[in-house]
Amino acid sequence: MPGTYNVVYESEADGQGNVGTATLVVTVADTVAPVVTIEGPEAITVECNVAVTLPNAAADDDCDGVLVATATDLGGLNLANPVLGEFVVTYTAVDAANNTGSDTLTVTVGDTTKPVITLLGDNPAIVECGSTYN
């Protein structure tokens, strides 16, 4: 636990009953950022125009234990209606000593869905031999 602690050393008594003491002041500091870990791969690919659900993340801190990590910077990614491109999402966690840890997730938005063709008119179309088809 961060803080300042006194450690008192005491000698055994000498032949005259005198005891010596010394005090060591120990300051425990928390200067190390939490380690953020995103669940799953470091990069994902999603379909354009389909809402994105980002993976969860957690953080582990030497002093504070398990912390919540959240996506704090979407890098321009629109979660509700993503457009084509590559986006870097940053997850962060802050410990009690205000040390900030982060990790990133690369989100590639692609378009792999084939277009849908809708035929208008009769199907099958019947054309008389020798006539013009429109």
Side-chain angles (χ1 to χ4, degrees):
M1 179 71 65
T4 302
Y5 303 92
N6 293 327
V7 179
V8 179
Y9 294 91
E10 191 173 284
S11 71
E12 291 188 25
D14 64 10
Q16 304 301 316
N18 299 312
V19 176
T21 61
T23 301
L24 173 65
V25 178
V26 177
T27 301
V28 177
D30 180 2
T31 60
V32 177
V35 176
V36 176
T37 304
I38 300 169
E39 294 178 5
E42 295 177 0
I44 60 173
T45 301
V46 298
E47 190 69 15
C48 67
N49 301 320
V50 177
V52 177
T53 301
L54 294 175
N56 292 324
D60 187 38
D61 186 70
D62 290 341
C63 292
D64 297 329
V66 176
L67 300 171
V68 174
T70 56
T72 55
D73 181 358
L74 298 177
L77 175 65
N78 180 335
L79 294 176
N81 191 23
V83 297
L84 295 174
E86 185 172 286
F87 305 89
V88 177
V89 176
T90 302
Y91 290 77
T92 59
V94 180
D95 67 13
N98 211 31
N99 299 309
T100 302
S102 64
D103 196 8
T104 58
L105 171 73
T106 301
V107 179
T108 303
V109 180
D111 181 5
T112 60
T113 303
K114 296 176 184 176
V116 175
I117 299 174
T118 303
L119 299 175
L120 302 176
D122 295 334
N123 187 11
I126 300 172
V127 179
E128 187 63 39
C129 179
S131 64
T132 304
Y133 176 73
N134 293 325

